[in-house]
Amino acid sequence: MEISGAKLFLRALEAEGVEKIFAYPGGTVTDLFDELYRNSDIDMVLPRHEQALVHEAEGYARETGKTGVCLVTSGPGATNTVTAIADAFYDSIPIVVFTGQVALGLIGNEAFQEVDIVGITRHITKYSVTVRDRKDLGRILKMAFHIASTGKPGPVLIDLPKDIQTANGPAEYPDHVEIRGYKINEGVHIGQLRKATKLLKSAGRPIILAGGGVNIAGANEELARLAELTHIPVITTVMGKGALPSDHPWYIGCSGLHGKYAANIAISQCNLLFSIGTRFNDRVTGDLTEFAPKAKIIHLDIDAAAISRNVVVDVPIVADAKVALAQMADWVESEWKGPKDTSDWMKQIKKWDQENPLEMRRNKGMTPQMIMEGLNEVYPDEVTYVTDVGQHQMWATQFLKMDPKKKMIISGGLGTMGFGFPAALGAKMGHPDRPVVCITGDGGFQMNMQEMATAIIQGTPVTICLLNNYYLGMVRQMQQLFYGKRYSATCLRRRKDCPAHCKGPNENCPPYVPDFIKWAESYGAHGIRVEKEEDIIPALLAAKEHTDAPTLIEFMIATEELVLPMVPGGKPMSTMILNSSVR
């Protein structure tokens, strides 16, 4: 029996257990939408923009552990997904993006809404292909889901020409697929793992650096067990936040560009660094020549290409973090005679923390730290925090407390403004009964604020904590510290009749647009404005009770608030700006 490509497409989704598809229609995918309309129980989400659509699929995937599925039309529908596909690629999020394409005979003729989306996305996907023969469709669809979700997860793009969708061909959808050249490393090199375990035992000042790979692998319990058996302190990257509970006795904090002082100094002084699931990007390392200069380095990662790419390591281990850490913990438990004596090392780290603790002022008005502490109080149990990108993201990673019931979803590798709100909606759609809080800024929120319509029609009552400082705060911070307060294109209140050179807010500043509260209410959402510390908790509690629609809480924070510590670009991680008076 033969069936149309559109029918096989639907059959593939059902076989893969797809429950939700984030989709925006157009001319070249109408046959697929018609098939979904007539025959499917799959929930179709209609966002308001294709970039937001993919971010929603990212949030859904990060929250549920399932593969996010997207469907868009050709041309601008496809190109609008590119930023979000790159975001998923850098943060290893499993999504499959289906794009429509003009008929095979029109490809290369500059037809209406024709673009080479495979060529455009080739370097930001694990696999990207145009289906050119109907008989290959089933195999390619199976490959897409397999590649996206196995090994190091990531995005796959399948380009579906119009005539492939309508052509008849084989009805079979394979239950497995063999892909030449694509091999998943399911084991671990015992010799290398033994060598790493031996180095851990002999090192006097060891540090475990846990990255996002720990969270992706679900290796949190294994990491905690290893830390508890060895008494080795653990530091996380921003993407690794939550790999160990915030109150765990061996957890120090986040490292990196805006990391904890004690964490960055500890890495610079350690004599063994065991890195798990990190890429060693510049936000983690700073000046590469000064990164962990006294340490032997062990690097455990599922992606062989990530090892020694940025930092040359002494012991490379290509393996799944969950498998490798479990094996190491077993060896430690059975072979070591109790944990290492790291008491002097921990005392030194705690001394550094006491010298320069993470703390914002408390003597004058509401601060971002107070807002994060309010969230800690209002959400003592399960919650998913989803941040956008900017100062608020760093404050969230600095001050939010994490434990096994809590999750944090951020855009790490690409740093995509506009990610937070749609990703929060996707997370909420994945787990409707779980509280989801979006932490965003006034700049990033406006990049995909149209998704409030999606939130309303999908019934996703997320809480949006919008920190409004009237500026693109992270760039403004750099302009304040390094560019003589020349605030070029960062003031969001600036109008054409403002002075050419402005050094900051004054009594003549025009009003901010939009009025976020009126804007939220125009969609049927709830809006609350908070200007004083004593109103933080009541506002968060009110939002928590609103289960009929999203609640936007606009927190009016001071323009001059900075994210500190801060490592100047290109400097060693031990060189930190600790207060705003440093230039």
Side-chain angles (χ1 to χ4, degrees), residues 30-44:
T30 307
D31 292 285
L32 301 178
F33 276 83
D34 187 56
E35 199 62 43
L36 285 162
Y37 178 86
R38 291 191 298 150
N39 299 292
S40 179
D41 292 327
I42 297 171
D43 182 25
M44 189 188 304

Side-chain angles (χ1 to χ4, degrees), residues 305-355:
I307 297 179
S308 287
R309 179 170 54 198
N310 296 326
V311 173
V312 177
V313 304
D314 298 282
V315 182
I317 305 170
V318 181
D320 179 276
K322 189 177 182 73
V323 174
L325 292 179
Q327 179 62 76
M328 291 182 78
D330 286 346
W331 285 337
V332 170
E333 190 168 35
S334 63
E335 299 174 10
W336 287 23
K337 295 179 180 179
K340 293 172 59 63
D341 181 6
T342 56
S343 56
D344 289 343
W345 178 224
M346 282 296 291
K347 285 178 185 176
Q348 178 60 70
I349 294 172
K350 288 178 180 178
K351 183 181 177 182
W352 288 325
D353 195 27
Q354 291 165 358
E355 289 171 356

Side-chain angles (χ1 to χ4, degrees), residues 27 75 102 107 148 150 165 273 278 346 387 414 446-447 461 463 479 493 499:
V102 299
I107 292 177
T150 55
Q165 300 169 37
L273 183 69
T278 70
M346 282 296 291
T387 80
L414 195 63
Q446 291 185 74
M447 288 194 171
T463 294
Q479 291 170 338
R493 285 191 290 184

Side-chain angles (χ1 to χ4, degrees), residues 55 58 83-93 411 414-416 419:
H55 288 322
E58 287 186 276
T83 296
I85 291 173
D87 187 88
F89 182 74
Y90 285 111
D91 286 349
S92 303
I93 301 174
S411 169
L414 195 63
T416 307
F419 168 87

Side-chain angles (χ1 to χ4, degrees), residues 54 57-58 61 67-70 84-85 88 93-97 144 148 154-157:
V54 182
E58 287 186 276
T67 300
V69 181
C70 310
I85 291 173
I93 301 174
I95 60 171
V96 176
V97 180
V156 169
L157 184 139

Side-chain angles (χ1 to χ4, degrees), residues 89-92 152 209 211-213 236-240 255-258 264 267 273 275 277-289 291-292 299 301 306-312 393-394 410-415 567 570-573:
F89 182 74
Y90 285 111
D91 286 349
S92 303
K152 180 182 179 181
L209 178 62
T236 58
T237 66
V238 168
M239 286 295 291
S255 67
L257 186 69
H258 294 288
N264 281 347
I267 289 176
L273 183 69
S275 172
T278 70
R279 287 197 305 269
F280 286 128
N281 67 38
D282 59 299
R283 295 258 163 158
V284 171
T285 65
D287 181 356
L288 282 171
T289 64
F291 178 71
H299 191 180
D301 202 286
I307 297 179
S308 287
R309 179 170 54 198
N310 296 326
V311 173
V312 177
Q393 179 188 35
M394 296 297 102
I410 68 172
S411 169
L414 195 63
V567 179
K571 298 292 185 180
M573 282 296 159

Side-chain angles (χ1 to χ4, degrees), residues 8 40 75 88 115-116 118 147 164 169 187 209 213 229 260-261 302 305 318 331 359 395 423 450 461 488 495 563 567:
L8 183 59
S40 179
V115 295
D116 179 12
V118 169
I147 292 172
I164 293 291
L209 178 62
L229 288 170
K260 206 172 187 181
Y261 176 83
I302 198 167
V318 181
W331 285 337
E359 184 69 25
W395 287 318
Q450 78 285 336
S488 176
R495 301 191 181 187
V563 183
V567 179

